Amino acid sequence: MFGWEYPPHILGGLGTASFGITEGLHAQGDMEITFCLPKPWGDEDKNAANIVAMNCVPVAWRDVNYDYLKERLGNVMSPEYYYELRDNIYADFNYMNLNDLGCVEFSGRYPENLHEEINNYSIVAGVVARRESYDIIHAHDWLTYPAGIHAKQVSGKPLCIHVHATDFDRSRGKVNPTVYSIEKDGMDNADCIMCVSELTRQTVIKEYHQDPRKVYTVHNAVYPLAQELQDIPRPNHNGKEKTVTFLGRITMQKGPEYFVEAATMVLHRTRNVRFCMAGSGDMMDQMIMLAANRGIADRFHFPGFMRGKQVYECLKASDVYVMPSVSEPFGISPLEAMQCGTPTIISKQSGCAEILTNCIKVDYWDIHALADAIYSICHNDSLFEYLQTEGKNEVDQITWEKVGLWIRTLYERTINKK
């Protein structure tokens, strides 16, 4: 399995989904997963997968002393595994910018030279693919498709790719031709394409011209809340100010401006509501200015990027969670909000709208409907209680184990076809 992020160091939904899928597959009881990651930190949960640090895989021979190697690799990789990988170097990569161990450095993020990192990652994948034994290859999102293709060329094993988003979602249609070509190349070479929603599946078939017979919908899920997260108290807001939250990347794809406009309309009807836009992104300054221009800055909060426990504290402190995404392949955060007992409003243009019923769905552009829904949940106790109880009951049935079982079925079909 090739991925780009993994908890606890996540930058978005990709890491959360990768972990959930790995856990769901591990729950089958007879599956061994090698998860390749550009730059692990050593504190990842290795219960479900053996994590390979791609920044510690040698692509050029170096005569390195065992003790020095042990010190340099720390708890990220064993010296024995490093030596095994060194025996699988397949070309002379000394022309590359390598460190003293003959390894490529990765940022583990989304840097300006991202395309260079993607290419380097695929080169390193060739060494790992020659060392490991496996039945199937699974590549997450466009960043790892070239690595997946390389592993397939090396081994002849079938390739599954997981489409968590396409550039049509990220760019509102202003597609980057380089990204599109990487995505299409991955899809053309894949034996099985898994999409996080039917919405995404149709994009893959129509915009990337893929055979519908190899394209499947695999909806995301949530894992049960850990006890420490269950123990976070929910403040009682009865008779007090209500809190309405947007939590995600503050980018064009997520529709943050519709949240601000709807907030303005709600605040024309009542001043007893506060709005929280948690997250970071290239539209953050623009949203701060928009809130100021609309005269609602005193009711608006921008706490910045949140991770781990902070996310759940924020969701539990909220009376309403809103995801007004313009184009959302799936969207795990509404499931997390409902899990916390927070009534949720989502756009009809999101993949999770296909599987959720106990939430309110509006068109992302319909700020009147969005404002009405926010106002109603904040002022109608019976609606709040219904969405709180039924939403949580619904999401508790959407598990990664079920997703893992479906992916396993797709693996078996793909291997048998091959």
Side-chain angles (χ1 to χ4, degrees), residues 52-64 69 73 77-91 93-94 96 98-104 106 123-128 131:
V52 174
M54 301 295 263
N55 61 324
C56 297
V57 174
V59 294
W61 180 276
R62 296 288 184 270
D63 187 9
V64 195
L69 193 55
L73 296 177
M77 184 185 284
S78 72
E80 289 82 2
Y81 189 57
Y82 170 92
Y83 291 133
E84 286 176 31
L85 289 166
R86 196 177 62 176
D87 294 335
N88 289 279
I89 296 168
Y90 57 95
F93 292 110
N94 279 300
M96 295 175 67
L98 307 175
N99 64 18
D100 60 331
L101 303 183
C103 303
V104 180
F106 290 100
I123 289 170
V124 178
V127 175
V128 181
R131 158 63 183 80

